[in-house]
Amino acid sequence: MRTDLTASVVVFLVALPLCVGVAVASGVPAELGLVTGIVGGLVTGLLPGSSLQVSGPAAGLTVLVLEAVNEFGLGALGVFVLTAGVLQLVMGALRLGRWFRAISIAVVEGMLAGIGLVLIAGQLYAMADAKAPGSGPANLMGLPALLIRTAGSPEALTAFGLGAVTVAMMALWKHLPPKVRLVPAPLAAVALTTSVVALFGLSVKRVEVQGLLGAIRPPSADDLGRIADAGVVGAMGTVVAITLIASAESLFSAAAVDRLHTGPGTDYDKELMAQGAGNAVCGALGALPMTAVIVRSAANVQAGAQTKASRVLHGVWLLLFAALVPAALGLIPVAALAGILVFSGWKLIPLKELGPLWREHRGEALILVATAVAIVATNMFEGVLAGLLLAVAKSAWETSHVQVQVDEGADRSKPLRVVVSGNATFLRLPRILDTLEGLPKDRHIELDLLELRHVDHACSTALTNWADRHNKEEGATKVLMPAV
């Protein structure tokens, strides 16, 4: 119990600034990030699935939540999260958790890279106490103008300096002595910048505080009406995106956490249901969606946690903080939280993995880049969907290998033998027909298809039509093949 207690304090100190930062970046009251962290500890933390991973608001969903709030309003967020939680419960009950391991890693890494790029582009504005234009392309296109405005404004330069110091501390913290690193880097950065702002009376934007009860807003019938007016199809896409991304991130995190300890492994279906229960409660409270978060989970394991008590207690500490000292949030400069998220966005971009992936699996690297670019250019749901479609198309292309061997032989009086082997699908049909149509018209042809493992309807029809045409011309084609 002593090690679990110590680990819970460490996780609380890591989670506190991240919960607040993710909420502010998502365009919702800071307290809602704490609510999600509390539910992640007290609800999801008590349920079976993975014993050591910690749940709460995640940077990976920031972009999606911000888009949803801007399009449908803050009141719709609870409806979306509640529906996503129910879908996760249903998927867990249907034992679909293990199937998330079948998602292409290139798509997942591309999704994270796209989120990271959009997150960085948006939070650079927050570092300068400026409002981001909105969409990913607009944020990127507006960066030169942001740089010019920041350079000409002492207040903006001050805020950006605080954010830059935060990013530097986050990046360099791992190189400091172990005793110093006992304090989590995000907490140290927030504490330092908050102290500087208070001591020197700097004029920078700070976190707006409403109070825990004032921030909670359960969904209402009016929210459903506004969603219907804004567009049901878009709302459904948002719900599906939250469900799939939150589920995939949680289960991938569980797999990573299992490699960090020697205790019991994760039951993926139960973990999916635990995440669903947590999101259902978060939705009922109008809070942010939750996922399992690898940063907090790794901190939990490295601090010596042995049971789920550590993650439950971290929720207790978050609740006590939110209930007893909520005014402390109002002292935190927004630029510092933006700096934490800029660094988090940078960590989401798999720069080290991209080089080896390009050398060994070029197609996977292209899918990764294409998914990231699609997310930046469109939105989260459409970008991930584009990545999945590319992954499916690549797999279909690679598995439809077909070989066409032509044995002309020395004796032109004997039939010309053509052997087609592999998987004959419509993707390879142009190659097959190009070869067959290039054969001599005046020779008998023996077409052997017995070595084909698979023939789809398009290929079987095309091959039959080719044989009929050839027979009607000058040669006679003998086809050796199963009935198709």
Side-chain angles (χ1 to χ4, degrees), residues 352-378:
K352 292 182 179 179
E353 293 82 0
L354 190 56
L357 189 64
W358 175 260
R359 291 190 294 270
E360 299 173 11
H361 304 283
R362 191 157 296 181
E364 294 292 301
L366 290 174
I367 290 173
L368 188 157
V369 173
T371 303
V373 171
I375 288 174
V376 173
T378 57

Side-chain angles (χ1 to χ4, degrees), residues 43-375:
V43 178
T44 304
L46 283 170
L47 297 175
S50 175
S51 58
L52 297 183
Q53 77 169 354
V54 183
S55 300
L61 285 171
T62 299
V63 176
L64 182 58
V65 172
L66 181 61
E67 291 175 353
V69 171
N70 288 338
E71 182 175 357
F72 298 98
L74 178 58
L77 180 61
V79 178
F80 294 154
V81 177
L82 174 59
T83 308
V86 172
L87 288 177
Q88 286 181 308
L89 285 168
V90 172
M91 290 191 299
L94 295 176
R95 303 184 64 81
L96 298 180
R98 68 193 71 181
W99 288 98
F100 278 87
R101 291 178 289 180
I103 297 177
S104 168
I105 297 299
V107 174
V108 175
E109 291 186 340
M111 176 190 75
L112 296 176
I115 292 170
L117 290 171
V118 176
L119 191 60
I120 291 171
Q123 292 306 301
L124 285 174
Y125 291 86
M127 281 177 60
D129 280 354
K131 183 176 176 58
S135 64
N139 289 347
L140 291 173
M141 295 291 291
L143 289 178
L146 173 68
L147 181 62
I148 295 173
R149 289 198 304 270
T150 303
S153 169
E155 293 82 5
L157 274 176
T158 300
F160 195 84
L162 293 172
V165 168
T166 302
V167 174
M169 288 184 66
M170 296 284 291
L172 300 175
W173 201 253
K174 62 182 179 181
H175 300 294
L176 297 179
K179 290 184 178 180
V180 177
R181 296 202 308 269
L182 290 176
V183 180
L187 183 67
V190 168
L192 175 63
T193 52
T194 301
S195 300
V196 169
V197 169
L199 287 174
F200 295 96
L202 301 180
S203 178
V204 295
K205 187 182 295 186
R206 306 186 191 191
V207 175
E208 296 181 5
V209 179
Q210 298 182 8
L212 190 62
L213 294 179
I216 293 175
R217 187 180 183 277
S220 65
D222 293 338
D223 297 325
L224 293 175
R226 280 191 287 272
I227 291 173
D229 293 338
V232 175
V233 175
M236 291 176 61
T238 300
V239 169
V240 171
I242 291 175
T243 304
L244 295 180
I245 294 171
S247 301
E249 188 169 344
S250 295
L251 297 181
F252 287 138
S253 172
V257 172
D258 284 348
R259 292 194 291 269
L260 297 177
H261 66 87
T262 57
T266 298
D267 184 316
Y268 288 89
D269 297 315
K270 290 182 179 179
E271 178 61 20
L272 187 56
M273 294 188 73
Q275 295 294 325
N279 273 318
V281 174
C282 287
L285 297 174
L288 291 170
M290 75 163 58
T291 72
V293 186
I294 187 60
V295 174
R296 285 167 237 179
S297 303
N300 190 39
V301 175
Q302 292 164 1
Q306 300 295 317
T307 69
K308 64 179 65 176
S310 61
R311 60 184 190 176
V312 175
L313 286 172
H314 117 276
V316 173
W317 309 143
L318 285 174
L319 176 60
L320 291 175
F321 176 88
L324 299 179
V325 285
L329 297 178
L331 302 175
I332 301 174
V334 171
L337 298 177
I340 291 175
L341 291 175
V342 165
F343 182 78
S344 299
W346 179 258
K347 297 290 287 184
L348 290 175
I349 303 174
L351 293 176
K352 292 182 179 179
E353 293 82 0
L354 190 56
L357 189 64
W358 175 260
R359 291 190 294 270
E360 299 173 11
H361 304 283
R362 191 157 296 181
E364 294 292 301
L366 290 174
I367 290 173
L368 188 157
V369 173
T371 303
V373 171
I375 288 174

